[in-house]
Amino acid sequence: MHTQDAAAGAGQYLVFRLGGLDYALDFAKVRELRPLQALERFASAGEIVAGVAVSHGVIMPIVDMRVAFGPRPPQHDPRTDVIILQLSDAVVGIVVDGITDVVTLSLEQVQPIAGAASVDYLLGRGEVDGRRLIVVDIEKLMSVRKAPVGVRQAA
């Protein structure tokens, strides 16, 4: 039962699996969903940046979130998916273990995660139908941190 009040403050979130946990990100940032093997990759790189790919004429980096959040599986599973995101300043693909569904979460359903206040990309823990979801701000997670002017970064 949806009412105007219940819909206020609620948003759609794409749920994906990563290292045995369920994560959720703002569905408005999702441009496309593709199986990894269906994506045309034309360059490969290091561990986390898994290379460069093209989708519908757009060239984008592919970030393997499985490496960023734990050890890379020895091989790609047929369920390995790529979420192509339209961020404020770039199009980026992220490799995840699999996409499960799209859920609606209200602000009241997202609670802070104890001890994670210093991690700005973690919005909190949501619960939908008994499932616990780690809700992330994908813009902050994928942003490149730059050193302030005059501060040298380690080589």
Side-chain angles (χ1 to χ4, degrees), residues 111-125 135 140 145:
Q111 302 299 317
I113 298 173
S118 64
V119 183
D120 66 346
Y121 63 83
L122 289 177
L123 297 177
R125 186 184 77 235
V135 184
K140 287 182 180 175
R145 306 271 195 262

